Amino acid sequence: MKVRYFAWMKRTVGVPEEDVEPPAAVRTVGDLVTWLRARSPGHAEALAEGAAFGAAVDKRTATFDVVLADAREVAFFPPFTGG
Amino acid sequence: MAVRVQEADFDVGAELDRLTTGNRRIGGLAVFVGLVRAMHVREDYHKDRVDALTLEHYPGMTEKALTAIVDEAKSRWNIIDCTVIHRYGELKPADPIVLVVVASAHRGDAFAACEFLMDYLKTRAPFWKKEETAEGARWVEAKSSDDLAAERWKR
């Protein structure tokens, strides 16, 4: 699956996107966050517990309890500041 | 109903014409044009001049999110037609950044839907602002007042 990062999270993680193959035990968005934290100190910082960020699964806003199932793209981003 | 995400500027007059031409049921248009502010509103930053703004967005999700917000507005008010345009990329102070036009038979629906669209757009559409100032670039932080503005439409 492809994981994408936006705004400052891109810089903190170090890459704008990456292809990952999480193990079967990673079922939800929240599981994925926990699993991604172990990839690098940048991941751990950007996706830290208590950090203000949201997620989308296949371009739809998703809460952390959403099941990934056969998701192709998961995105993480800071709160929106458009308008 | 038109939703557009674009780098280019927009012509407000042309957009209004496009909505009204040939539609005699329309009794009024509520229009909101958002501009890039040259000054930061937060008191502690009042001396920081914003030289430029870069808007990042999430292509694909942005259009979906804006369309969902328009659909929500249509389910709540009598809207004949509407246009939502949001720009991305590099913008300068005073540049137009967002346009929301709502056409309806009566002003009540137009005003309410226009305000709703702006409140939801700010909190639900994946845009991020980065300001260039004399002290360097910084990502704009989300404002709790925007969350509160969107919250009041909950039902």
Side-chain angles (χ1 to χ4, degrees), chain A residues 55-70:
Chain A
V57 173
D58 289 331
K59 301 190 167 86
R60 283 185 195 283
T61 303
T63 49
F64 282 19
D65 58 350
V66 165
V67 175
L68 295 167
D70 47 3

Side-chain angles (χ1 to χ4, degrees), chain B residues 61-83:
Chain B
M61 181 177 170
T62 313
E63 294 80 357
K64 271 187 193 181
L66 292 175
T67 302
I69 295 164
V70 167
D71 286 344
E72 175 76 28
K74 275 161 60 184
S75 76
R76 293 185 183 214
W77 292 280
N78 286 315
I79 297 172
I80 294 172
D81 206 349
C82 74
T83 298

Side-chain angles (χ1 to χ4, degrees), chain B residues 96-110:
Chain B
I97 184 169
V98 60
L99 171 70
V100 173
V101 187
V102 180
S104 62
H106 304 285
R107 70 182 184 284
D109 287 298

Side-chain angles (χ1 to χ4, degrees), chain B residues 10 113 117:
Chain B
F10 47 78
L117 285 166

Side-chain angles (χ1 to χ4, degrees), chain B residues 4 12 15-16 23 28 31-32 34 45 55 108 112 124-125 142 150:
Chain B
R4 298 204 318 260
V12 178
E15 295 300 333
L16 301 192
N23 198 330
V31 182
F32 180 85
Y45 284 123
L55 257 122
R124 297 190 177 197

Side-chain angles (χ1 to χ4, degrees), chain B residues 46-63:
Chain B
H46 72 282
K47 284 183 179 147
D48 291 359
R49 203 179 70 242
V50 176
D51 298 319
L53 192 75
T54 305
L55 257 122
E56 183 178 328
H57 80 115
Y58 185 177
M61 181 177 170
T62 313
E63 294 80 357

